Amino acid sequence: MRYRLFTTGSLALGVILLIDVLRVWLPGIITIFGQAASTPAELMGAFALVWFLLALAAPALVRRVGARPVAVTAAVLLGAARLALTATPGGRPQLWLATAGLLAGLVWLVGTAAGTDRPVPGLALGLAVNAAVHALLDTNDLVWRGDWVAWLLSAVAVTLFLLSTALPGTAALPDGPAGPGGVRAWLLAGPALLLAGMVALSPALARTGTSYLVAGDGVASTPLFGLAPVPVAVAGFLLTALTAPPRRLGRLLGPVALLAGAVLFALDRGDLLVPAVLLAAVGLGACLARTDDADRPATAADAEDAGRAEGADADRSATADNTGDAQGGVRAAGRRGYAVAAGMLVFALGSVGYYSAYDLGYPNGAVPVVVAVLVAAVALTTRTAARPAPGPLPPLRTTAGVTALALLAPLLADGLPVASNRDGPPERLTVVAYNVRMGFGLDGRFDLAGLTDVVRRQGPDVVLLSEVDRGWLLNGGHDTLDLLADRLGMPYVFGPAADPVWGDAVLSRWPVTDPRTLPLPAVGAPTGAQALAVTLDLGDGVRTAVVSTHLQPPPDRGPVVQARAVADFATGYAAGRPLVVAGDLNTEPGDEAFAQFTDAGLVDALAAARPLATSPADDPREQIDHVFVSPGLTPGDVVAPRGTASDHLPVAVTLTLAPR
């Protein structure tokens, strides 16, 4: 039992480190290897898949060299890559370090699978602890922080992982070679990782879902205890994963819950995200539990009976048994190795297939449902032992401990930022519009500090953000909006565009009322677009309308249709009140789309400072980020401060309100 516990702990720690590496590597596909829309999605997808295909050769390496040398060597490389990522300045070194860490992690999984026939406790513990810690860190990973606390915790995790991997016996069960089972459990490692990161155990998705429940009406606003669903999801997942699954009709409950959660997620409705998380977490854990201890004799006596050759004399039977056991062990190890490599390929295909749809334009809602169907099918067709052997982890105590860790996240979360109009209507409003590229700078690092600093220096009253990501696994699963709002001390309202966790936002120091969102016509553009309108309550009956948008033009065309829709929506919403329309409009002054706003009676608030190029941030050549205002607002102090915390520069302008 001691060795089995070490094996479980080593597997859990390795899963945690591998997820850390994936949270760096996945965004690097877009921000470093490719440059979003400027690099073909097919090329980025091919780059992503090739490393998972290479891992299919790892079982042959294990057969030639041995499971233990392969697993230990790969573990050292994974740990080294994880630590190095905390120090790397970004760019190509970061991408290749993350790629090396990913490949090492895949090979380590194959080597570990060769000697482990009961991976479910370790996999489940790793997924649950990672989710709890990610929530506790407010969805901002240690690898991006770079302070001494991040270094210390990362070093401790890597050290414990390497020690547990190097201990004798951790690559096999205490009674000898690993048994014949575990193939189905290892096959589900990749699909479980995908569904956990995308839905079931995503703290960012849970908080985003809570923000919709708080606000309603198709928009989302700052929740007080946004991470509250996370401990519930972690507890449900661990408890169902570590306890014996029900029999007869009860065995359908887990697969049905998982499928229901995946379908709710695929419906792309913000108010359904929280039930999607909870159902998927419970269902995923239950499906994993059905593959634990499968196809194994239930007791030592059963194993002895099963291994005895019938009808042979004792000596020849023992020899045959030993030879058969050795050959069977090698075959079982190979099957487990290929199973985990294939399962991780499912992870890659699911990730690439789901998120590349936002560049290529095909429907992607079926991806999580298909992966959930695969997991459910494997679980339902698995024959579990009649008397399941006890696992290495006590279910109740383990669940209580990890849930307590997750429970700290909502309890320690910052309070709500407070908007105030105590001083009455201001004479001026400073507006900042910024395309934040999901929080990633030109160097490919998640740069909250850089984004916050450049915005804070402008002293804004209202901030309009484009390309806001609130939980995409592809971008590391961060809630970029909530993280920025906390640092700026400004409440937010969020308008979904591509899906419920990607879109535009308004942050305001003044109270916000009457939020509305308008989906914009796609006109051939694959990524969704919207316009988010809010009203700033400046006190004493003074109100100003603000509209945040990000136009997405179709290939080789301007966003004329979308621009006209935004102009009509904004002027109608303002109904004669002062109006501000701003964002990444993907159009230049003088273009037909630009003229849609001026023809609607709006004024180019940045005109006095033009030319004012804002993209790309390191060599600005295009004027595509704009602020338009109604004639009653007088613009001044226009600036596009330099910085590389995004691929765009922000634009800032101070607006003088007309005297009452």
Side-chain angles (χ1 to χ4, degrees):
M1 181 61 72
R2 179 170 67 91
Y3 288 138
R4 184 175 292 172
L5 189 60
F6 278 130
T7 302
T8 298
S10 176
L11 180 55
L13 286 167
V15 167
I16 291 170
L17 296 180
L18 179 57
I19 294 174
D20 281 352
V21 170
L22 282 169
R23 286 199 177 114
V24 178
W25 182 77
L26 285 170
I29 298 171
I30 296 177
T31 60
I32 302 175
F33 176 81
Q35 292 296 321
S38 64
T39 302
E42 298 89 344
L43 182 59
M44 291 188 285
F47 174 80
L49 291 177
V50 68
W51 308 106
F52 291 85
L53 291 171
L54 281 176
L56 291 173
L61 178 65
V62 169
R63 187 167 57 249
R64 178 180 294 271
V65 179
R68 185 166 187 77
V70 169
V72 172
T73 302
V76 171
L77 294 176
L78 172 60
R82 169 61 185 82
L83 287 178
L85 285 173
T86 305
T88 183
R92 294 284 173 174
Q94 174 182 298
L95 176 64
W96 292 116
L97 272 174
T99 302
L102 168 67
L103 190 56
L106 296 175
V107 175
W108 164 78
L109 276 175
V110 172
T112 302
T116 307
D117 62 351
R118 294 197 66 181
V120 169
L123 292 173
L125 185 62
L127 292 172
V129 171
N130 187 273
V133 172
H134 196 48
L136 194 58
L137 295 173
D138 203 22
T139 76
N140 185 19
D141 306 305
L142 290 175
V143 71
W144 300 121
R145 294 175 180 245
D147 55 14
W148 70 269
V149 174
W151 273 105
L152 177 62
L153 294 177
S154 300
V156 168
V158 169
T159 300
L160 291 175
F161 170 60
L162 295 180
L163 287 175
S164 62
T165 302
L167 284 172
T170 54
L173 296 181
D175 299 326
V183 174
R184 291 170 181 262
W186 279 112
L187 178 62
L188 292 188
L193 180 60
L194 177 67
L195 292 175
M198 186 180 287
V199 192
L201 296 174
S202 171
L205 191 73
R207 178 159 58 197
T208 304
T210 305
S211 68
Y212 279 100
L213 296 179
V214 169
D217 299 326
V219 295
S221 63
T222 316
L224 180 56
F225 294 108
L227 292 172
V230 176
V232 181
V234 166
F237 170 76
L238 264 185
L239 198 60
T240 54
L242 299 181
T243 55
R247 301 190 178 278
R248 296 188 177 91
L249 290 178
R251 67 195 182 103
L252 297 174
L253 295 179
V256 168
L258 177 61
L259 289 172
V263 169
L264 291 180
F265 173 77
L267 291 176
D268 275 351
R269 283 183 47 181
D271 58 339
L272 297 179
L273 291 181
V274 170
V277 167
L278 300 179
L279 285 170
V282 172
L284 182 60
C287 288
L288 286 176
R290 286 201 56 80
T291 65
D292 187 33
D293 203 32
D295 303 322
R296 286 171 51 93
T299 66
D302 293 334
E304 184 179 348
D305 292 340
R308 187 177 293 117
E310 296 180 3
D313 69 294
D315 292 339
R316 295 183 61 186
S317 175
T319 302
D321 283 351
N322 291 337
T323 303
D325 286 347
Q327 293 175 346
V330 171
R331 288 194 296 269
R335 288 195 296 269
R336 287 192 295 269
Y338 282 114
V340 71
M344 291 306 296
L345 183 59
V346 172
F347 170 87
L349 289 170
S351 300
V352 171
Y354 184 81
Y355 292 107
S356 63
Y358 294 111
D359 289 315
L360 301 179
Y362 58 82
N364 62 355
V367 172
V369 178
V370 169
V371 175
V373 168
L374 170 64
V375 173
V378 171
L380 287 174
T381 57
T382 299
R383 185 181 63 184
T384 56
R387 290 169 289 171
L393 299 175
L396 291 178
R397 280 184 290 172
T398 303
T399 300
V402 181
T403 303
L405 181 64
L407 190 59
L408 291 175
L411 295 179
L412 297 178
D414 296 331
L416 287 174
V418 178
S420 172
N421 61 358
R422 289 175 298 174
D423 299 327
E427 296 181 358
R428 297 176 180 83
L429 284 176
T430 298
V431 176
V432 173
Y434 201 180
N435 180 324
V436 295
R437 196 170 77 148
M438 294 82 68
F440 289 89
L442 288 181
D443 59 0
R445 291 186 64 80
F446 191 58
D447 193 4
L448 287 175
L451 292 171
T452 303
D453 289 346
V454 72
V455 173
R456 185 182 286 133
R457 286 200 305 268
Q458 313 314 313
D461 295 291
V462 60
V463 180
L464 296 84
L465 300 179
S466 303
E467 288 192 18
V468 175
D469 169 39
R470 305 201 60 193
W472 274 9
L473 175 63
L474 181 68
N475 295 325
H478 312 105
D479 186 351
T480 310
L481 177 56
D482 194 88
L483 288 166
L484 286 175
D486 283 347
R487 283 156 178 75
L488 293 171
M490 303 173 74
Y492 65 77
V493 175
F494 175 72
D499 66 8
V501 295
W502 195 95
D504 311 295
V506 174
L507 287 70
S508 173
R509 298 196 185 281
W510 299 92
V512 170
T513 62
D514 193 23
R516 300 183 200 172
T517 184
L518 173 72
L520 300 180
V523 291
T527 305
Q530 66 86 53
L532 170 65
V534 300
T535 297
L536 304 185
D537 183 355
L538 304 179
D540 295 343
V542 178
R543 292 176 172 80
T544 298
V546 173
V547 175
S548 175
T549 191
H550 178 197
L551 304 186
Q552 299 282 344
D556 303 321
R557 293 171 54 193
V560 178
V561 174
Q562 291 183 348
R564 185 181 303 116
V566 172
D568 292 343
F569 170 68
T571 53
Y573 175 84
R577 294 171 296 175
L579 172 63
V580 179
V581 180
D584 175 4
L585 303 185
N586 278 307
T587 184
E588 297 259 13
D591 290 348
E592 185 180 359
F594 188 93
Q596 299 302 314
F597 296 97
T598 55
D599 290 348
L602 299 177
V603 176
D604 177 9
L606 311 182
R610 298 204 185 277
L612 190 68
T614 58
S615 177
D618 55 344
D619 183 22
R621 297 183 302 275
E622 298 178 305
Q623 304 178 69
I624 57 176
D625 298 272
H626 304 288
V627 179
F628 291 97
V629 298
S630 55
L633 298 172
T634 304
D637 299 329
V638 176
V639 63
R642 300 301 292 264
T644 57
S646 172
D647 60 343
H648 286 240
L649 299 179
V651 291
V653 58
T654 297
L655 305 174
T656 302
L657 278 65
R660 298 186 63 190

